[in-house]
Amino acid sequence: MPMAIEMAAPVAVGERFARRAVFDADSIRAFATMCGDDIPLHHDDAFARRSAFGSLIASGPHVTSLMMGLDASWLTQRHDALGLGFEFRFVKAIPVGTALTLEWTVTGCRYKPSLAGHVVEVEGRAIDDSGTVYTTGRGANLVRARSAAGAEPAHDPAPTTTTGRRE
């Protein structure tokens, strides 16, 4: 059986990509509503002012969705890519009006024959202009050569072992 053809590494370790995001009251409420997060800290100004946070705060899925969207958008500019998994840590609540830089750095890129593509690992954070970190994350993505018109990438299937499992 022919072996899968390995493409050149699609990204370099150390590459960094980023975007700005502002967490205003309207976006905090809208995102929390859209994702079904109805706790008052994301919707009720009076309640939030009386809380330990002193104002509305963004929901966790809000910042993580923006970070994963940045990752997906950047990788798919040049390649076919999809996320394999992400994990996040919430370091500090994001109060209303906060402007953050969402950034990722490529920390690994290795070819995986059984997936016929590269596993690209990233580490990221959401940070304000003074250097305060609000959220950190790590992720892994499958990156393949760009396919034609939505078809599967051109590659031979990975060989199977004697047990019938892919390598």
Side-chain angles (χ1 to χ4, degrees):
M1 231 183 229
M3 295 292 293
I5 299 171
E6 181 176 341
M7 69 181 214
V11 296
V13 171
E15 281 190 73
R16 179 183 172 276
F17 49 102
R19 72 172 280 240
R20 294 286 284 177
V22 177
F23 294 84
D24 60 36
D26 289 341
S27 68
I28 288 172
R29 285 186 183 100
F31 192 91
T33 297
M34 186 173 28
C35 76
D37 189 342
D38 61 1
I39 69 169
L41 286 170
H42 310 314
H43 299 277
D44 184 329
D45 282 312
F47 178 90
R49 273 194 304 276
R50 292 188 308 270
S51 76
F53 303 106
S55 73
L56 292 178
I57 60 171
S59 66
H62 191 163
V63 67
T64 61
S65 291
L66 292 174
M67 290 178 73
M68 289 189 303
L70 167 63
D71 173 81
S73 295
W74 186 78
L75 285 169
T76 58
Q77 288 176 6
R78 299 176 284 178
H79 309 284
D80 285 343
L82 64 118
L84 296 174
F86 288 87
E87 62 183 57
F88 293 94
R89 181 171 168 263
F90 302 113
V91 179
K92 182 174 174 61
I94 302 171
V96 67
T98 302
L100 298 176
T101 298
L102 312 177
E103 62 185 22
W104 291 104
T105 301
V106 176
T107 58
C109 181
R110 64 182 167 76
Y111 187 75
K112 184 158 174 126
S114 64
L115 296 176
H118 284 80
V119 174
V120 174
E121 296 170 340
V122 293
E123 289 188 10
R125 62 189 184 165
I127 185 170
D128 69 15
D129 293 340
S130 69
T132 302
V133 175
Y134 290 78
T135 304
T136 61
R138 289 197 283 164
N141 303 274
L142 173 61
V143 177
R144 293 177 172 163
R146 175 80 65 202
S147 63
E152 283 296 310
H155 67 276
D156 292 330
T160 56
T161 64
T162 55
T163 61
R165 292 182 304 190
R166 289 185 164 299
E167 288 185 307

